[in-house]
Amino acid sequence: MMSQERCHFHCTDGRDVVFDLQGRAVTEENLRPVCADVAAELMHGCTAPVDWSAWIVDVHDAYGQHVMTFSFAEIANEVGCLSALAA
């Protein structure tokens, strides 16, 4: 992926899923920061106590091909959400 490409940032813990139906136009260097934003938005937007430690952001391109996966735990420190992991 060189130029901007539409990617979908789906979130799951293997049981529950939040699908990103719209996707976002991103460049390769912006994938990780966008994953961090997606995880932070979901954690901050949920009012119920949730154990986020098993959750991942699973990135797919516009053709449905897997691009990469980041765990919420992996990016939680970057977005200041470590306390949300152990709700």
Side-chain angles (χ1 to χ4, degrees):
M1 177 173 16
M2 296 272 222
S3 61
Q4 280 200 337
E5 186 175 326
R6 182 154 298 277
C7 288
H8 298 269
F9 296 82
H10 308 302
C11 298
T12 185
D13 66 351
R15 196 182 91 212
D16 295 312
V17 180
V18 178
F19 289 107
D20 174 13
L21 300 178
Q22 272 191 315
R24 302 174 191 212
V26 295
T27 59
E28 189 170 355
E29 64 261 4
N30 288 338
L31 279 173
R32 188 178 179 89
V34 171
C35 284
D37 290 345
V38 167
E41 288 170 13
L42 187 57
M43 287 189 277
H44 289 304
C46 187
T47 57
V50 175
D51 177 4
W52 298 106
S53 61
W55 281 78
I56 60 167
V57 180
D58 200 27
V59 184
H60 293 262
D61 67 17
Y63 304 102
Q65 296 296 312
H66 182 258
V67 175
M68 62 181 42
T69 300
F70 286 108
S71 70
F72 276 35
E74 184 179 358
I75 57 181
N77 190 41
E78 295 172 26
V79 296
C81 293
L82 279 176
S83 61
L85 288 176

